[in-house]
Amino acid sequence: NGSVQGLNLAQQLQQQQQEVQAQLDMQRSRRQSVQGRLASLETLQHSGLDKANKKRTQWLHEQGLEQQPRLAEQLQVKAGWELAVETVLADDLDAICLTELPLESALPAVGITLLALKTEPPESRAEATLTTLPLLSTFISQPPAIASLLADIYAVDTWQQALEQRPLLKGGDSIVTRDGLWLGSNWLRTRRSDDSHAGMLQRQQEIISLRRQQTQLDSTLTQLQTQAEQLRLQLKEHEQQRQQAQSALNQWHRSESELQSRIHALQQRLDQLQLRREQITSECEELSLQQEQQDEDLLLATEQRNTALTLLEKAEGQRQQLAQTRDVLQQVVTDTRRQAREQQEQLQTLRVELQ
C-alpha cells in the first residue's frame, strides 16, 4: 500500500509539474509576445517623441534633463479624444515635463518645449455663448498643467457641431472635433497623413497597458517559477525518499534472500536429520528385532546352559565315581602287577633252582 501511495503521489506531483510547466510556457510565450509588441511600440514612440534627435539629446544631457518624461508619456486622455488632443498639441506632445521651468539656465538652442507641471492651470473663460461646450482640457485627467496649453480650446463630437458653434467663437477661441478637425474663427487645420505624432497617445496607452501586462506576467511567471521550483524540490525529495525506500526494499529483499538461503539450508539439514532419524528408527527396529531374537537365543542358551549345568553336575558325579573306580582299578592293577612281579620273581627263582 505504501509503494502504491508513493507512486500515486509521484504521478500527482509530475502531473502538477507538467501543468505548471505548460502554464509557464504559455505565460512566457505571452510575455514574449507582449515584450515584442512593447518593443515595437516603444521604438515608434521613441521616434515620434524625437528622442533620436542628437541636438535635443545633447542639450537635455547638458542640462541633466535626459531622464525627464515627455508630455505624451504623462497624458491621461479620455478614450476617443486622443486624435483631438494630438491635433492640438502636435509637436508639444514631446514637451519635457519638469517640476518647474529652469529660467536661470541656458535656453534650448533647438526646438524644445518645457512644461512645468507645478504651474496652476488658468481659469477657463466662461463665455456666455459657449458655456454649453466643454473645454478640451476636461477630457484630460493628467497632468493638470496641460490646461495652460489648451486654454480656450473647446471640444465637440462632430464637424457639424463645430460649424454650428463657429460663429460664436471670440478672439483666440477654437474648437476641435473628436476626429481631430480644428478650427478657429478664421482658420481650419486638419491632420497631415504623415504626421509623426499620429496615434502617439493611443500607442502610449497601449504601452502603459502592455507594461502593466508585462508586470503582471512577470509576477505570474515568478509565482509559477516558484511553484515549479517547489514542485521540483518536492519531486526531488520524493525521489530521494523513493530511493531510500527502494534501498530499504532491496536490503529487505537481500535479507529475505539470505533468510531463504538459511531456511533452505536448514530445510536440507532437517531433511538430512529426518532421513537419519528414519534410518536410526529403522536401525532401532532392526536392533529391536535382533534384541528380541537375541533374547530368545539367550533364553534358549540359558535353558541349554542350565541343562548343560545339570548334565555337568551329573557328569561330575559320574566322573568322581569313575575316578574312584579308576583309583580302585589302578590299585588293583598295581596290586596285580606287584603280585605278577612277585610271582615272576618266584618263577625265576624256581627256574634257577631247577637248573
Side-chain angles (χ1 to χ4, degrees):
N1 293 334
S3 61
V4 173
Q5 292 177 355
L7 180 61
N8 291 337
L9 177 59
Q11 291 176 345
Q12 291 175 2
L13 290 175
Q14 289 175 352
Q15 183 176 0
Q16 292 178 10
Q17 188 181 43
Q18 291 174 358
E19 291 174 355
V20 170
Q21 187 60 48
Q23 293 180 17
L24 264 174
D25 294 340
M26 181 179 67
Q27 295 298 328
R28 283 170 178 161
S29 178
R30 287 183 58 189
R31 188 185 184 283
Q32 186 176 6
S33 177
V34 168
Q35 190 173 10
R37 175 64 177 169
L38 181 60
S40 177
L41 291 176
E42 285 178 339
T43 299
L44 290 174
Q45 203 75 335
H46 188 276
S47 176
L49 293 175
D50 206 15
K51 289 187 177 181
N53 189 308
K54 293 183 179 180
K55 291 184 178 180
R56 287 166 57 90
T57 303
Q58 181 179 356
W59 185 87
L60 291 172
H61 177 73
E62 291 173 353
Q63 303 303 316
L65 303 176
E66 68 273 15
Q67 299 301 324
Q68 294 299 119
R70 304 300 172 89
L71 178 58
E73 298 171 339
Q74 299 291 304
L75 286 173
Q76 295 182 14
V77 181
K78 185 177 180 180
W81 290 94
E82 293 88 349
L83 290 177
V85 174
E86 289 175 359
T87 299
V88 173
L89 292 178
D91 291 341
D92 289 336
L93 286 169
D94 61 2
I96 310 301
C97 296
L98 307 172
T99 303
E100 56 185 14
L101 294 177
L103 299 178
E104 296 180 0
S105 63
L107 296 178
V110 292
I112 295 178
T113 300
L114 304 178
L115 176 64
L117 298 181
K118 279 189 175 181
T119 303
E120 293 294 332
E123 297 182 1
S124 59
R125 293 185 300 111
E127 296 289 342
T129 55
L130 295 175
T131 53
T132 59
L133 296 182
L135 289 169
L136 180 61
S137 59
T138 60
F139 294 98
I140 303 175
S141 58
Q142 291 293 336
I146 193 62
S148 62
L149 293 177
L150 303 176
D152 302 328
I153 301 177
Y154 296 91
V156 295
D157 287 322
T158 66
W159 174 246
Q160 185 62 36
Q161 290 175 329
L163 292 178
E164 291 174 357
Q165 297 295 330
R166 180 173 175 273
L168 302 178
L169 294 176
K170 302 294 183 180
D173 294 344
S174 61
I175 301 175
V176 65
T177 66
R178 183 189 289 265
D179 56 1
L181 295 175
W182 188 18
L183 59 87
S185 58
N186 61 349
W187 54 270
L188 171 65
R189 182 179 299 170
T190 60
R191 295 171 58 85
R192 295 188 306 177
S193 60
D194 60 347
D195 190 351
S196 62
H197 300 97
M200 181 176 292
L201 295 181
Q202 289 183 337
R203 278 201 305 272
Q204 185 61 33
Q205 292 304 312
E206 187 175 357
I207 287 173
I208 293 173
S209 175
L210 289 173
R211 285 174 179 169
R212 190 179 299 113
Q213 290 181 40
Q214 190 176 44
T215 300
Q216 293 174 349
L217 287 171
D218 287 341
S219 177
T220 302
L221 282 171
T222 300
Q223 293 175 359
L224 289 174
Q225 287 170 350
T226 301
Q227 188 176 356
E229 180 64 16
Q230 291 174 349
L231 288 172
R232 187 188 68 80
L233 292 176
Q234 288 180 2
L235 272 172
K236 181 179 179 181
E237 181 180 1
H238 182 270
E239 179 63 20
Q240 290 175 347
Q241 293 176 352
R242 188 196 66 78
Q243 290 178 354
Q244 292 174 356
Q246 185 64 42
S247 177
L249 181 62
N250 293 337
Q251 181 63 35
W252 183 84
H253 282 313
R254 286 193 293 271
S255 300
E256 183 186 29
S257 178
E258 292 175 359
L259 288 174
Q260 290 292 343
S261 298
R262 291 178 60 186
I263 290 174
H264 181 69
L266 290 174
Q267 185 63 45
Q268 288 182 332
R269 178 59 178 166
L270 182 61
D271 293 341
Q272 293 174 354
L273 292 175
Q274 183 68 22
L275 180 61
R276 179 58 181 161
R277 187 179 72 83
E278 292 175 355
Q279 292 175 347
I280 291 174
T281 300
S282 177
E283 291 175 357
C284 287
E285 291 176 352
E286 183 177 353
L287 288 173
S288 179
L289 293 175
Q290 292 178 0
Q291 182 67 35
E292 291 178 357
Q293 184 66 39
Q294 288 176 355
D295 289 342
E296 292 178 358
D297 293 343
L298 178 61
L299 180 60
L300 180 60
T302 301
E303 292 177 353
Q304 291 176 351
R305 180 183 64 84
N306 292 334
T307 301
L309 287 174
T310 301
L311 293 175
L312 183 61
E313 290 177 355
K314 291 180 179 181
E316 181 64 23
Q318 293 176 357
R319 186 187 65 81
Q320 291 178 355
Q321 291 178 357
L322 290 173
Q324 291 176 356
T325 302
R326 185 195 62 186
D327 292 340
V328 170
L329 291 174
Q330 283 179 349
Q331 185 65 40
V332 170
V333 169
T334 301
D335 290 342
T336 300
R337 285 177 178 173
R338 183 178 58 80
Q339 291 175 1
R341 283 195 306 270
E342 289 178 352
Q343 290 177 359
Q344 190 174 6
E345 288 177 356
Q346 290 176 2
L347 180 59
Q348 185 69 26
T349 302
L350 288 177
R351 284 177 177 173
V352 170
E353 289 180 354
L354 288 179
Q355 291 177 354

